[in-house]
Amino acid sequence: MKQNQPHAFTKRGLLRIAIAVFTGFVAACAHSAPLRAQTIRIEANTTAMDWNAVALSGGHVFVAGPRWTGFSGPTAGLLTKNGKIKPFPDADWNGWKSGRDATHRFVSVNALHVAPDGKLWVVDTGTPSFGGVPVYGGAKLVRIDPATGHVLRIYPLDPDIAQAGSYIDDIRFNGRHAYLTDAGKAALIILDIKTGQARRVLDNDASTRARTDRPIVMDGHVVESHLHQPLLVNVDPLEVSPDGKWLYFGPLEGPWSRIPTALLDDPDVSSTDLSAAVQPWADLPPIRGSAMDTAGNLYFTNLKDDGVYRRDVSGKIKRLISDPRLHWADAPCLALNGRLWLPVAQLDRLSMFHQGQFRSHQPFLLVSIDPHAGQIKPGR
């Protein structure tokens, strides 16, 4: 995430806009029965890491958190049976310090994702400070065998891809291509997994830029990057449709757009044609993370009400749960058994967003919910 320049909006004015924008959204969501049936299961907790990423593979639980949050734990780790966080793939990969080589060490991990082939991908922003410049060799993708911890390949993101001001945010897959978002400099990144070549597309496009009329409101206040400066996060969440034909994406604040993956995958398509091919998809509120199942249902965390929602393929949105323990619940992960895992980061409560006052509630929670709780099964 990276702050944009301050804009001529008063804090009171932004709050009024936020109320107008989101009241209709929340009111439109049917939630009474699922809310009574839904329960939270605490899977783990920690005071060593402000985790904002979780990935599941072969019975293993992997977690990660950005270095700029200032906690003592590793930036990427494996949860042990006793609830501790073991550096993953090893301590050396988690041992970067200023002045040390960053090409084979994590600088600041922002996302984990298991690809369709079962391998774990780690997204390293390369930025040790919030809104900072990626260090040399720091911005990269690391593909790892989750069973052995063996690093299979490192994909460097060169300075023309991870630029000054970039914040490489999340990743999804489609065939031989991976798609990433740059929440700092507003662009999508297309990676050819076979060749390792990466391209920036929709650079500073209207579909990838944060809008000033859609502030992030939490605890009844606009989240600020600095005093009187609303936090604006460019293109952040993304998903690939189950058939692989569409990429869905949007700024953290919404709304979401879609574009055919066939156009993204073709390096000969011009930037003008790509921009013209972007279509509106879903007018979602500020969210921190999403997951899409094989049927095309989108699960997302709503920052405003500490909620988890589902958008079905028809576009109908239903709130599954709202609970203060889910404050800034981050990137969800769907387990094979259907449960939805959520690392609760509380990032907006860090001292950097409150003039030096640390407001996070300890410990940080890793939780799961059953997104189908309370539903009537067919034939009953």
Side-chain angles (χ1 to χ4, degrees):
M1 297 183 300
K2 173 182 179 294
Q3 71 168 82
N4 286 0
Q5 295 299 314
H7 299 275
F9 285 81
T10 66
K11 193 169 183 179
R12 180 175 296 177
L14 283 168
L15 281 170
R16 288 174 177 170
I17 293 170
I19 292 170
V21 170
F22 300 125
T23 297
F25 170 84
V26 174
C29 296
H31 57 78
S32 56
L35 283 176
R36 286 197 299 269
Q38 187 60 259
T39 58
I40 290 175
R41 187 167 76 195
I42 297 176
E43 303 288 353
N45 65 76
T46 186
T47 58
M49 172 193 287
D50 188 354
W51 44 38
N52 70 338
V54 61
L56 309 172
S57 177
H60 300 303
V61 180
F62 303 95
V63 291
R67 187 178 297 273
W68 51 261
T69 58
F71 287 82
S72 62
T75 190
L78 170 68
L79 278 181
T80 64
K81 291 182 179 180
N82 62 3
K84 302 298 183 181
I85 304 174
K86 178 182 177 182
F88 186 84
D90 56 36
D92 190 54
W93 265 97
N94 283 271
W96 180 86
K97 294 181 180 180
S98 180
R100 298 193 73 182
D101 174 60
T103 58
H104 290 77
R105 295 183 179 93
F106 298 134
V107 176
S108 187
V109 173
N110 192 68
L112 304 172
H113 202 78
V114 175
D117 66 357
K119 300 304 185 284
L120 178 69
W121 286 65
V122 181
V123 179
D124 187 352
T125 68
T127 55
S129 61
F130 181 70
V133 177
V135 302
Y136 179 79
K140 56 188 172 292
L141 309 172
V142 184
R143 182 172 177 260
I144 305 175
D145 184 332
T148 65
H150 178 63
V151 174
L152 302 172
R153 185 170 179 179
I154 300 170
Y155 293 83
L157 298 176
D158 295 335
D160 60 328
I161 301 298
Q163 304 174 355
S166 284
Y167 194 88
I168 310 304
D169 198 273
D170 210 344
I171 187 170
R172 294 295 185 270
F173 301 90
N174 184 38
R176 66 179 287 171
H177 292 96
Y179 311 116
L180 299 104
T181 49
D182 185 344
K185 292 211 70 177
L188 297 178
I189 295 171
I190 315 302
L191 173 73
D192 186 313
I193 296 172
K194 184 176 181 180
T195 67
Q197 294 297 309
R199 298 177 287 116
R200 291 178 66 90
V201 300
L202 298 178
D203 218 330
N204 202 35
D205 189 78
S207 63
T208 59
R209 291 196 310 268
R211 285 170 42 176
T212 58
D213 62 340
R214 301 174 69 97
I216 305 168
V217 178
M218 303 189 72
D219 290 333
H221 302 282
V222 172
V223 179
E224 298 180 337
S225 57
H226 296 85
L227 187 62
H228 306 312
Q229 294 184 18
L231 176 66
L232 299 176
V233 182
N234 294 313
V235 62
D236 183 340
L238 76 167
E239 298 293 344
V240 175
S241 62
D243 61 9
K245 293 182 178 180
W246 295 94
L247 180 73
Y248 308 116
F249 64 95
L252 182 150
E253 299 86 348
W256 284 46
S257 304
R258 70 174 189 171
I259 189 171
T261 56
L263 298 181
L264 291 175
D265 297 346
D266 186 350
D268 294 327
V269 177
S270 70
S271 58
T272 301
D273 289 342
L274 274 181
S275 183
V278 175
Q279 304 173 14
W281 183 62
D283 190 10
L284 300 182
I287 75 172
R288 187 53 205 112
S290 65
M292 182 170 279
D293 64 22
T294 55
N297 298 303
L298 180 76
Y299 300 90
F300 62 91
T301 62
N302 185 357
L303 291 178
K304 185 173 185 289
D305 68 356
D306 301 334
V308 180
Y309 288 71
R310 179 177 59 239
R311 180 190 187 275
D312 67 24
V313 293
S314 73
K316 181 180 178 181
I317 294 174
K318 178 177 290 187
R319 184 167 69 175
L320 304 178
I321 190 171
S322 180
D323 190 294
R325 290 174 293 176
L326 298 179
H327 190 87
W328 198 292
D330 222 300
C333 177
L334 274 169
L336 292 178
N337 65 2
R339 293 191 70 85
L340 191 69
W341 286 55
L342 303 118
V344 184
Q346 305 179 59
L347 287 179
D348 64 300
R349 292 174 172 167
L350 295 177
S351 57
M352 66 182 65
F353 301 121
H354 291 282
Q355 293 76 58
Q357 296 182 13
F358 182 80
R359 298 184 178 182
S360 296
H361 302 165
Q362 298 292 292
F364 293 107
L365 301 179
L366 177 64
V367 306
S368 72
I369 65 171
D370 178 1
H372 305 291
Q375 293 185 11
I376 299 175
K377 296 182 179 180
R380 295 189 177 182

